[in-house]
Amino acid sequence: MFKNCILFSGTNKIQKYYFVLIEMILITSLFVTGCVQKKQIIMTVSGPLPAQDMGTTLAHEHFLVDFIGAGSTGYHRWDRNKVEERVLPYLMDIKDYGVKTLVECTPAYLGRDPLLLKSLSRKSGINILTNTGFYGARDNIFIPNFAFAESAEQLADRWINEWEEGLEGTGIKPGFIKIAVDAGDTLSVMHAKLIRAAALTHLATGLTIMSHTGPEKPFFNQLDILEQEGVAPEAFIWTHAQRGTRTSHIEAAKQGVWVSLDNVFPDSARIGEYVDMLVNLKQNNLLHRVLLSHDAGWYHVGEPNGGNFREFIILFKILIPALSNNGFTDQDIRQILVINPQKAFTIKVRRINNM
Ligand SMILES: [Zn+2]
């Protein structure tokens, strides 16, 4: 490295040893710096975390949802302490199954409460991720009025600001972008704007885009817009992909998209469907593109004590044993629940042709 360095000319042996030592220290420090720079992180409600420390992860769940609509929702609608009391035991349950991280997918104007999440994370010891973005599905009733008049660039500026400054003055940062589109054959103007804003936000922040989507038509429509904006498929989680065809799962996964099968229920017919979908992906060597979760929880604001709360453990109690009976190895399960979430939620800009 420094063999031709001018410092070596006219030096004695001791000085040469000294320079060799300096050279070794420099090379070591450059190597260490390189490693640190390459370290992949995710963003939890308690701050950044090395992705490799995520452990077993539930990639799509909810603690609280307020369906009243963007015009009427707000923190006055629920008692944070009561919600916490109701939800905490369910988090303690998943610890028994080795879960270390949970991705909480409730967006703003639908019950997102960063302080509730941070407190639950502290009390349970589970890493929790929250999000930025707007939820357009159900005909935009969870979209705030100002968003209709704003451009994709203006919406992206708001979401980028949440990444840079934290959510609503809490200092808590989002760990991904959550949007939602309706299930029709074409995207509405509003929903096309949401995915474009999500693309711009991704390029500025490296946050992964999780889009409530369902069937394959709106999925492919969103993928087209990502392509126009230069965002690679690896930056996109096709949420509720269980509503898409088996063929489209394969096509999406081959392109690099995260295929999220995220509505696991205990009844045997639905468990059978999940086994079939996962066997299909395994047979096509595509398990490295799959995310799996329950879309469970849901303290329902407005119902006594939050109403019926779905637990987060069916995957471990029923689905995984069923997968084991169908040829899935421990390594397959680890791929889906540990490795894939690390890669999916790592903060990293994924541009087309520049992975
Ligand atoms: Zn959900």
Side-chain angles (χ1 to χ4, degrees):
M1 188 173 186
F2 298 122
K3 290 284 181 289
N4 300 318
C5 175
I6 194 161
L7 290 170
F8 277 97
S9 57
T11 53
N12 63 31
K13 236 179 180 180
I14 293 172
Q15 281 172 315
K16 278 184 184 170
Y17 282 128
Y18 175 74
F19 286 126
V20 168
L21 184 65
I22 296 286
E23 180 183 352
M24 284 170 67
I25 290 169
L26 276 170
I27 289 169
T28 308
S29 64
L30 282 171
F31 179 74
V32 170
T33 312
C35 288
V36 169
Q37 280 170 352
K38 276 186 190 155
K39 195 162 195 176
Q40 314 228 293
I41 64 141
I42 60 155
M43 185 58 70
T44 76
V45 292
S46 304
L49 182 79
Q52 65 191 28
D53 294 346
M54 281 175 85
T56 299
T57 298
L58 290 173
H60 188 122
E61 310 292 350
H62 298 269
F63 296 157
L64 173 145
V65 179
D66 182 10
F67 288 112
I68 198 167
S72 306
T73 189
Y75 296 123
H76 63 282
R77 295 259 304 150
W78 57 91
D79 178 332
R80 197 170 277 141
N81 292 328
K82 283 191 178 153
V83 178
E84 193 175 292
E85 209 173 286
R86 183 83 203 279
V87 176
L88 187 57
Y90 293 96
L91 287 181
M92 301 316 278
D93 281 351
I94 57 176
K95 289 177 79 172
D96 292 343
Y97 291 90
V99 175
K100 297 267 190 294
T101 302
L102 180 147
V103 182
E104 213 278 353
C105 302
T106 309
Y109 300 97
L110 231 167
R112 184 187 70 184
D113 186 341
L115 291 176
L116 169 72
L117 271 51
K118 187 169 184 178
S119 179
L120 280 166
S121 178
R122 192 172 55 80
K123 289 185 178 166
S124 65
I126 303 269
N127 305 308
I128 295 171
L129 280 68
T130 186
N131 62 86
T132 186
F134 292 153
Y135 190 97
R138 299 206 193 180
D139 265 342
N140 302 323
I141 63 168
F142 308 112
I143 297 281
N145 268 336
F146 62 80
F148 292 95
E150 290 189 351
S151 65
E153 288 76 11
Q154 285 171 307
L155 294 181
D157 282 349
R158 288 180 180 276
W159 302 344
I160 294 163
N161 186 261
E162 288 200 319
W163 164 250
E164 289 172 349
E165 306 294 331
L167 306 168
E168 304 165 73
T170 63
I172 296 169
K173 293 194 174 193
F176 62 104
I177 303 158
K178 174 75 187 283
I179 60 167
V181 301
D182 276 321
D185 284 354
T186 53
L187 292 177
S188 68
V189 172
M190 184 68 209
H191 296 178
K193 188 163 77 179
L194 289 178
I195 182 66
R196 205 172 294 282
L200 297 173
T201 306
H202 171 76
L203 293 172
T205 64
L207 290 170
T208 299
I209 302 164
M210 174 191 287
S211 179
H212 164 111
T213 296
E216 62 271 18
K217 277 266 173 61
F219 158 65
F220 285 114
N221 291 337
Q222 289 176 96
L223 206 59
D224 287 346
I225 292 179
L226 292 182
E227 191 180 353
Q228 289 163 20
E229 298 296 334
V231 174
E234 285 81 355
F236 188 79
I237 299 172
W238 174 11
T239 298
H240 311 321
Q242 63 274 6
R243 293 173 60 194
T245 60
R246 310 286 197 268
T247 317
S248 62
H249 292 166
I250 301 305
E251 195 177 336
K254 278 184 177 167
Q255 289 196 47
V257 164
W258 297 103
V259 177
S260 178
L261 308 175
D262 47 33
N263 198 222
V264 174
F265 268 78
D267 64 274
S268 55
R270 286 211 233 182
I271 291 291
E273 276 180 36
Y274 274 75
V275 170
D276 286 351
M277 290 188 287
L278 288 159
V279 164
N280 179 39
L281 285 153
K282 182 175 159 72
Q283 285 171 345
N284 284 277
N285 298 317
L286 290 166
L287 284 187
H288 62 293
R289 306 310 310 175
V290 178
L291 298 172
L292 194 57
S293 210
H294 303 89
D295 198 9
W298 302 29
Y299 180 106
H300 291 74
V301 175
E303 293 185 20
N305 201 23
N308 181 36
F309 196 98
R310 263 175 69 212
E311 57 189 355
F312 304 119
I313 57 178
I314 296 306
L315 204 156
F316 305 100
K317 279 172 77 174
I318 304 180
L319 181 57
I320 289 177
L323 290 171
S324 299
N325 289 337
N326 282 272
F328 277 62
T329 63
D330 289 350
Q331 184 51 38
D332 291 335
I333 304 299
R334 185 178 142 73
Q335 180 75 47
I336 297 170
L337 295 182
V338 179
I339 309 290
N340 293 351
Q342 285 176 15
K343 292 184 176 166
F345 291 97
T346 287
I347 311 291
K348 179 185 172 190
V349 176
R350 288 106 162 162
R351 290 177 200 279
I352 289 173
N353 298 328
N354 180 24
M355 296 308 302

